[in-house]
């Protein structure tokens, strides 16, 4: 069973030349594989790595706690409901908003930029629902 983790785990550290050097100060290709310059040049902060995985870690924590409290059926039911709701069809001309999924994910009480700010390109497009439905149904 996976441990209950509140904060995302640290990202894997990329091997650099200092870590993989032999007695001569050169990269040991036979022991550590080919050298990757992209891994050495790309530096990301530890905080950024953890923030990218924050929502997934919190969701996993909630599902693990529900599994321990209520049994295996509860997280399975929630994941099944999320899958069913995320596959719902919508009118193609209108903006897609999945309120059901937001409620199941616990995001119904949060307000983010995409909730109230819409790009100007979406505002200028005329709503031709009939043409969009014909396109969707391949008529």
């Amino acid at each position: 069973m996976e441990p209950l983790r509140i904060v995302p785990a640290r990202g894997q550290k990329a091997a650099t030349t200092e870590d993989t050097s032999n007695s001569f100060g050169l990269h040991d290709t036979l022991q550590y594989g080919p050298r990757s310059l992209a891994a050495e040049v790309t530096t990301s902060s530890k905080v950024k790595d953890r923030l990218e995985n924050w929502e997934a870690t919190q969701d996993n924590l909630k599902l693990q706690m529900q599994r321990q409290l209520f049994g295996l059926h509860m997280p399975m039911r929630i994941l099944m409901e999320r899958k069913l709701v995320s596959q719902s069809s919508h009118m193609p001309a209108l903006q897609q908003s999945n309120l059901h999924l937001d409620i199941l994910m616990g995001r119904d009480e949060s307000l983010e930029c995409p909730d109230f700010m819409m790009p100007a390109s979406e505002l200028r497009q005329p709503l031709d629902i009939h043409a969009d439905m014909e396109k969707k149904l391949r008529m």
Side-chain angles (χ1 to χ4, degrees):
M1 183 190 306
E2 190 173 323
L4 297 177
R5 184 178 297 276
I6 297 174
V7 179
R10 293 183 181 180
Q12 294 179 356
K13 182 182 175 190
T16 60
T17 308
E18 293 85 22
D19 298 333
T20 61
S21 60
N22 58 12
S23 60
F24 298 112
L26 299 172
H27 175 74
D28 191 359
T29 307
L30 294 176
Q31 186 174 0
Y32 297 106
R35 181 177 169 193
S36 172
L37 291 176
E40 291 181 27
V41 173
T42 307
T43 58
S44 60
S45 66
K46 295 176 184 176
V47 175
K48 181 180 176 184
D49 291 339
R50 288 188 176 199
L51 286 177
E52 288 176 354
N53 299 326
W54 179 259
E55 288 183 23
T57 305
Q58 293 299 312
D59 188 41
N60 191 19
L61 172 69
K62 289 177 187 175
L63 291 173
Q64 288 288 339
M65 288 174 54
Q66 288 176 350
R67 180 180 179 192
Q68 290 179 356
L69 287 174
F70 304 113
L72 185 59
H73 80 283
M74 189 67 173
M76 285 178 59
R77 177 181 174 191
I78 290 175
L79 291 174
M80 181 181 63
E81 287 177 357
R82 286 183 192 170
K83 184 177 179 183
L84 289 173
V85 167
S86 65
Q87 294 175 353
S88 66
S89 61
H90 68 285
M91 294 294 286
L94 302 176
Q95 180 184 3
Q96 183 176 0
S97 173
N98 200 340
L99 181 63
H100 302 289
L101 186 61
D102 288 343
I103 291 171
L104 289 174
M105 296 289 290
R107 295 181 297 206
D108 56 334
E109 296 180 358
S110 65
L111 188 62
E112 298 175 1
C113 289
D115 294 334
F116 62 90
M117 296 180 73
M118 197 181 323
S121 61
E122 291 183 15
L123 290 174
R124 282 188 243 129
Q125 292 178 351
L127 296 176
D128 189 10
I129 295 176
H130 296 288
D132 288 334
M133 285 301 292
E134 289 174 358
K135 186 174 150 184
K136 181 180 178 182
L137 297 173
R138 298 183 186 122
M139 296 176 83

